Every structure is written in C-alpha cells, then in structure tokens.
Amino acid sequence: MSGTPDDPARSTRFLADRMLGTLCRYLRFMGYDTVSASGYREGNTREDTLLLKRARGEGRVLLTMDRELAKRAGEDAVLIEDRDVMEQIRVLAGKGLIVPAVRLNRCSLCNTPLRPAREEEISKARHAPRSTPGMEFFWCPQCRKLYWQGSHGKDLEKRIKENVLQD
Ligand SMILES: [Zn+2]
C-alpha cells in the first residue's frame, strides 16, 4: 500500500500485536484508530488466525513482530523488526501509512475519540493550565481523563521532530 503521503494516511487503522504496546499508544497520540491484540496469545496458530481475521474484518493493518504471522498476513500486515519505537514510526511513515504528528484527538489509553472538554471537567483537573490563553482542552468520556496540548504527547512530538521527520 503506497499512495500520497497525506490524505489516505490520515485514516489508516491498526491492530498492534502485544509486543507493540508503546507503538500502539503513540499511534493513538497521532490520532490513529489502533487496537491492541493483548488478548491474543502469541505463537499460537489458532490465535494468529483469529488476529488475522479480525484485522481483515475490521480493515486494520496488522502490526506484528512475528515474522511467521506477517508472512501469513501478506499485504495486510507490516512486520516490525526494530524494537525502537521511533524506528517503528519511521517505518510506518516510510510506507505512507501514517503522517507523524501529535494530534490529541484520541485517548492514548483506550482509543476512544476525544471531545472538547466541558467547563466543569476542566475545573476539576488540578494541574490544568486554565489561565493559558487559547489553551484547548479535550476529554475522554471513557477514562474521564482531561487532555490538553502539552499534557500528553509533548515529549513524543519532540522525539518525532528529532528522530522521524529529519533524515
Ligand atoms: Zn480513554
């Protein structure tokens, strides 16, 4: 799957195997609908089949460190070989599957889309920078967690700039 580096790559959906927990979280920070395969046991052919079936059924790209599984999945999977998450992101960007940038529109813990936070949700969060002009707040209705620019993913943004976008 190639294509232009922009639009199609905005909506790629993923299914990440259990070895890729950090990548899973980071993809959510970047706005990508990513589910974790943590419920599936590894190296079990039957479980692999279920995983593959789910990825295909839901139109998700399977991300796996399992060479055998990647082989079976063919075009529906990306074999992740490097353990370094920045290298993993670089691989996905290189394939045109993602445009790396922190978007803060999806909960990194549960994958639920964030919505603009209500006044009372913001006022309850002790460390929220309420007095910063123009600061926008978002809310995960599932985890009841407040997000704002810089609260989460700031380090990731810096690392993406340093490690993925240059070179
Ligand atoms: Zn959540």
Side-chain angles (χ1 to χ4, degrees), residues 112-167:
T112 299
L114 302 179
R115 62 157 170 77
R118 295 191 188 107
E119 208 49 61
E120 69 266 24
E121 291 157 352
I122 299 169
S123 65
K124 269 186 232 152
R126 204 189 290 177
H127 301 289
R130 278 179 288 270
S131 50
T132 307
M135 185 62 83
E136 283 184 286
F137 296 93
F138 303 93
W139 183 256
C140 173
Q142 191 70 34
C143 304
R144 309 183 57 75
K145 188 174 156 69
L146 187 72
Y147 284 82
W148 62 88
Q149 212 57 249
S151 65
H152 303 85
K154 195 172 195 172
D155 177 53
L156 172 62
E157 187 137 47
K158 193 165 156 263
R159 290 178 69 196
I160 287 175
K161 282 199 182 114
E162 288 169 0
N163 298 288
V164 181
L165 299 184
Q166 295 162 7
D167 75 41

Side-chain angles (χ1 to χ4, degrees), residues 66-133:
D66 184 331
R67 198 168 290 274
E68 210 46 53
L69 177 56
K71 215 165 154 184
R72 281 183 59 199
E75 281 198 347
D76 299 323
V78 174
L79 175 66
I80 303 289
E81 295 181 279
D82 204 297
R83 284 183 185 275
D84 177 67
V85 71
M86 285 301 132
E87 184 54 39
Q88 296 169 354
I89 290 172
R90 203 179 296 149
V91 166
L92 297 182
K95 288 182 180 296
L97 291 170
I98 61 169
V99 178
V102 173
R103 299 202 169 82
L104 213 63
N105 55 8
R106 187 174 293 279
C107 181
S108 65
L109 300 177
C110 74
N111 199 41
T112 299
L114 302 179
R115 62 157 170 77
R118 295 191 188 107
E119 208 49 61
E120 69 266 24
E121 291 157 352
I122 299 169
S123 65
K124 269 186 232 152
R126 204 189 290 177
H127 301 289
R130 278 179 288 270
S131 50
T132 307

Side-chain angles (χ1 to χ4, degrees), residues 16-30 34 36 63 83-86 88-89 108 155-156 159:
D17 85 8
R18 43 190 281 154
M19 300 292 291
L20 298 169
T22 306
L23 179 60
C24 177
R25 236 164 21 87
Y26 281 15
L27 284 170
R28 289 169 181 167
F29 272 128
M30 293 188 272
T34 306
S36 163
L63 304 175
R83 284 183 185 275
D84 177 67
V85 71
M86 285 301 132
Q88 296 169 354
I89 290 172
S108 65
D155 177 53
L156 172 62
R159 290 178 69 196

